[in-house]
């Protein structure tokens, strides 16, 4: 197979050219793709022709799909795959927000959060808007002063569906569903076993605190790390085209949906999450 790889920024992202994800791939190609995923954190495959089963099969080149937590996002005809659109949070005809429009890492409140998220562009706004941004938390960690690395070594943050300073527009949950959502404590400096690097594991809207540290001090520490990690120099901004499949490593990057386009335009993607491990501390 004549696979080519183009770096998207100096730090993260690779576009894979010459691979048709709708067809079976040989073992050597699969393991090269996994290595690029581990090394570059975000992989982009353009011009793919994937229906939900083919999308699921392509995503499963990188691991096992875990079920979407909310039934209403599962595709009725193929529930292993869910949907993501800029109309998801509409209520009674009122558009309130877009899901995921703040830098975060997916489902960090799980004991074993998904290692990867995969999207496929089905309908992209005709104006070309609706980009997704990715920030390299591993490059950001590498650049921290040694004193800050020592300060956060061994510290854990507790993540819940709704953090202590939650200010996100998100899926409304009934009190029963909210009570059923998990919470978990994870290292702030997290090692990715697929590449051995350490990244800042942050998700501001989900954090309830850092055990042993007062809330104001904990949130000031986390805010400083977050501001550092989301500087422009760490970011790749993906401009979607219909037929793009994008996979990213939730241990290596933060991501956010952007909203600077006409919300009357429609944006619709398929989405799956790939099973991950319990987060490892930096010294693991
Ligand atoms: C998300 O997974 O948080 C949304 C990303 C996007 O819609 O671009």
């Amino acid at each position: 197979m004549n696979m080519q790889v183009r770096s998207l920024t100096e730090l993260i992202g690779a576009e894979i050219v010459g691979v048709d994800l709708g067809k079976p791939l040989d073992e050597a190609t699969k393991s090269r793709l996994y290595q690029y995923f581990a090394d570059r954190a975000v992989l982009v495959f353009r011009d793919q022709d994937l229906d939900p089963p083919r999308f699921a099969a392509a995503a499963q080149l990188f691991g096992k799909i875990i079920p979407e937590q909310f039934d209403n996002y599962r595709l009725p005809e193929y529930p292993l795959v869910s949907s993501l659109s800029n109309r998801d949070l509409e209520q009674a005809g009122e558009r309130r927000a877009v899901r995921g429009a703040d830098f975060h890492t997916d489902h960090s409140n799980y004991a074993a959060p998904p290692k990867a998220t995969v999207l496929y562009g089905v309908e992209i706004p005709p104006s070309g808007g609706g980009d997704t941004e990715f920030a390299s938390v591993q490059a950001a960690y590498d650049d921290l002063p040694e004193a800050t690395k020592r300060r956060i070594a061994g510290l854990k943050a507790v993540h819940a569906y709704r953090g202590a300073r939650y200010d996100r527009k998100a899926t409304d949950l009934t009190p029963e569903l909210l009570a059923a959502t998990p919470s978990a404590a994870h290292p702030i400096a997290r090692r990715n076993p697929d590449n051995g690097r350490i990244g800042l594991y942050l998700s501001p809207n989900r954090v309830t605190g850092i055990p042993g540290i007062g809330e104001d001090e904990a949130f000031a520490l986390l805010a400083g790390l977050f501001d550092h990690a989301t500087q422009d120099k760490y970011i790749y901004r993906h401009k979607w085209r219909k037929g793009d499949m994008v996979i990213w490593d939730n241990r290596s990057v933060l991501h956010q949906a952007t909203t600077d386009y006409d919300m009357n335009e429609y944006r619709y993607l398929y989405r799956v999450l790939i099973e991950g491990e319990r987060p490892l501390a930096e010294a693991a």
Side-chain angles (χ1 to χ4, degrees):
M1 174 167 299
N2 184 20
M3 182 189 335
Q4 289 160 32
V5 183
R6 299 183 188 141
S7 291
L8 295 169
T9 70
E10 202 181 313
L11 299 173
I12 49 168
E15 181 181 345
I16 309 291
V17 182
V19 171
D20 180 350
L21 293 169
K23 299 214 170 107
L25 301 177
D26 59 50
E27 290 307 314
T29 303
K30 287 186 205 168
S31 64
R32 274 178 75 195
L33 288 179
Y34 198 87
Q35 198 55 52
Y36 291 129
F37 162 73
D39 291 345
R40 301 298 300 169
V42 182
L43 297 187
V44 173
F45 302 83
R46 300 275 195 191
D47 303 316
Q48 302 296 317
D49 181 12
L50 302 175
D51 59 7
R54 285 202 298 264
F55 170 61
Q60 283 176 120
L61 296 170
F62 300 89
K64 185 171 165 223
I65 293 176
I66 56 174
E68 159 63 45
Q69 62 181 339
F70 303 125
D71 295 351
N72 55 315
Y73 295 132
R74 293 187 195 151
L75 297 184
E77 72 280 16
Y78 198 79
L80 191 58
V81 169
S82 60
S83 66
L84 173 71
S85 101
N86 59 350
R87 308 225 167 119
D88 286 341
L89 301 181
E90 263 179 11
Q91 275 194 338
E94 181 202 347
R95 180 156 297 143
R96 298 183 305 155
V98 167
R99 279 205 281 158
D102 57 313
F103 271 115
H104 63 285
T105 178
D106 282 333
H107 298 221
S108 62
N109 58 315
Y110 282 24
K115 74 173 170 191
T117 305
V118 197
L119 296 180
Y120 175 72
V122 182
E123 293 277 341
I124 302 303
S127 63
D131 305 347
T132 307
E133 289 190 321
F134 302 94
S136 172
V137 290
Q138 294 183 332
Y141 177 85
D142 291 345
D143 289 347
L144 285 175
E146 287 307 314
T148 309
K149 289 182 182 169
R150 282 196 297 276
R151 168 94 177 93
I152 62 176
L155 285 185
K156 288 189 171 186
V158 178
H159 297 242
Y161 185 79
R162 277 184 201 281
R165 300 192 176 179
Y166 189 85
D167 69 351
R168 189 183 209 193
K169 294 279 187 295
T171 308
D172 278 334
L173 298 189
T174 60
E176 296 74 35
L177 264 179
L178 188 59
T181 58
S183 65
H186 297 312
I188 294 171
R190 174 181 185 183
R191 183 176 293 278
N192 181 338
D194 280 337
N195 64 14
R197 293 181 65 188
I198 303 167
L200 291 168
Y201 196 60
L202 308 166
S203 222
N205 275 307
R206 296 238 189 270
V207 169
T208 58
I210 301 178
I213 298 185
E215 185 176 310
D216 285 344
E217 188 185 340
F219 276 85
L221 173 64
L222 292 168
L225 295 172
F226 181 79
D227 289 348
H228 167 70
T230 54
Q231 295 175 78
D232 287 350
K233 62 182 174 181
Y234 299 126
I235 290 176
Y236 163 61
R237 182 169 174 134
H238 182 68
K239 294 200 83 56
W240 284 93
R241 294 200 315 234
K242 195 173 162 156
D244 286 356
M245 185 178 111
V246 177
I247 176 166
W248 65 88
D249 190 325
N250 281 307
R251 305 161 300 185
S252 302
V253 291
L254 291 166
H255 66 279
Q256 71 172 353
T258 59
T259 54
D260 52 353
Y261 63 102
D262 180 353
M263 282 295 145
N264 292 312
E265 296 182 346
Y266 189 42
R267 181 177 187 267
Y268 179 89
L269 303 101
Y270 297 146
R271 178 175 188 260
V272 292
L273 300 169
I274 304 293
E275 188 174 71
E277 73 286 344
R278 280 177 182 268
L280 304 173
E282 78 287 348

